[in-house]
Amino acid sequence: MRMNYLIKDIANLVTCKNNSNNPKKGKEQSDIGLIKDGFVFIENDRIIFAGNKTELKYFLTSKNKLEYEVISGKNKTVMPGFIDTHTHLVFAGSRPDEYEMRIKGSTYEEIARAGGGIASTVNAVRNSSKDELVKLSEKRLLNFLKYGTTTLEAKSGYGLDVKNEIKMLEVINKLNEFNRYGLNIIPTFLGAHSIPKEMSKKEYIDLICFEMIPIIAKRKLAKFIDVFCEVNYFDAKETESILKLGAKFGLIPRLHTDQFNSIGGVDTAIKVNAISVDHLEVLKMKDIKKLTGKNIIATLLPGTSYFLNIPYQPARELIENNVPVTLATDFNPGSCMTENLQMIMSLASLKLKMSAEEIINAVTINSACSLFLQNSVGSIENGKLADILIFDFPSYKDLLYHFAVNQLETVFKKGRKIIINQI
Ligand code: NIG
Ligand code: FE
């Protein structure tokens, strides 16, 4: 049963309110719409008020028949639910052996060339039923939620044949229709994640273009299409042709690019009107300049840099050149095995030198824009879904300062109250 709630006397109410429909960029990325001593009213699944005490009085006189539970926000910080725009939520198996090999000096690319990496997860996924994949993923969803993620994107890409790519997307759609706490999960088709061992790259690209994309579009199994644009995977031209065809079928392009090598992925992103370029560990200044003024979001994944020991992303240069920035986990078994977006925010602070304000917008309103969900989530504003986090500290800056400890107490997901230590 849905209820109404008034969260009152909130020390820091971080609204992330946006004055346009576009992601925040440049200096705007520092504007978090902070209200000190704030109040939020939740009616059923929606936010119907966010403001200060004076505004609240007016609001309550117009609503005198409403019943509600009062929650104290004294010494607390309230923020919009986090949105993770890049995850590989669905997979089977695990790769701790590879992790250890990397600690001893092997690189991600060497392990992949020796038959590990994505290929090993593909085997595990092909050998798993839909039910098994749903079960494994549901458990991970709880981990996302524990650290404040209320909406996430999830990719296919460990099937690499028609049957198994569709199986992965069906699992993602099924999880979106039902999961214990009602998290929203947005599906992305990443057939072009790697080349399966049983065919040539040319044959596989034909399979993606002439079989997978038409079926997936017809069955509306995905909203986005993604390609891994990288040496030994898909070059810029191949990436372009796959994304263009996907776009023709109504799938919105986003891409993995500039993770290990810079091979023209940014030019491709511009050509196909991608909503986002993701990774960017080795992004060059000339490509940052090209992104200025385009409606493309830079999705930074510092967890991958940390886990693979590769360079961190040039966040400061991107922000200074007016490119909107989001942050995501890239949760996956090979290059970033964590669901914890707060950890990613800590890395963004210490390693990418992003400010607390820039980081908070990066995981809320900008992420909402990246998934075209800015009308329903990403900020605490009237009419939006009540996806809200209550942290046990008085200043939003404490989130980064007091690191590696989960201070999240309560989550509202579509107006439903979830006490984190009871999950
Ligand atoms: O985003 N870079 C390509 N794909 C994933 C890694 C996938 C894997 O290793 O299983 C990534 O880092
Ligand atoms: Fe990824």
Side-chain angles (χ1 to χ4, degrees), residues 229 242 303 314 360 403:
C229 182
I242 296 166
I360 290 168
F403 73 103

Side-chain angles (χ1 to χ4, degrees), residues 193-226:
H193 194 194
S194 188
I195 298 102
K197 56 183 185 318
E198 64 272 13
M199 62 179 82
S200 71
K201 180 150 75 168
K202 162 97 186 49
E203 286 168 327
Y204 187 53
I205 292 176
D206 283 350
L207 191 72
I208 291 174
C209 291
F210 302 118
E211 291 199 40
M212 293 184 187
I213 290 176
I215 300 174
I216 288 161
K218 183 156 176 237
R219 292 187 51 198
K220 295 195 184 339
L221 288 174
K223 178 168 179 176
F224 297 97
I225 181 163
D226 194 344

Side-chain angles (χ1 to χ4, degrees), residues 86 88 95 98 108 117-119 121 155 158 190 193 228 233 256 259-260 279 281 301 304 308 330 332-336:
H86 184 138
H88 303 256
R95 287 150 51 191
E98 288 182 14
Y108 179 83
I118 293 172
T121 302
K155 301 175 195 294
Y158 291 122
L190 176 60
H193 194 194
F228 186 19
Y233 295 84
H256 284 69
Q259 181 178 9
F260 301 107
H279 271 291
E281 287 83 343
L301 311 171
T304 309
L308 294 185
D330 192 18
N332 77 77
S335 71
C336 192

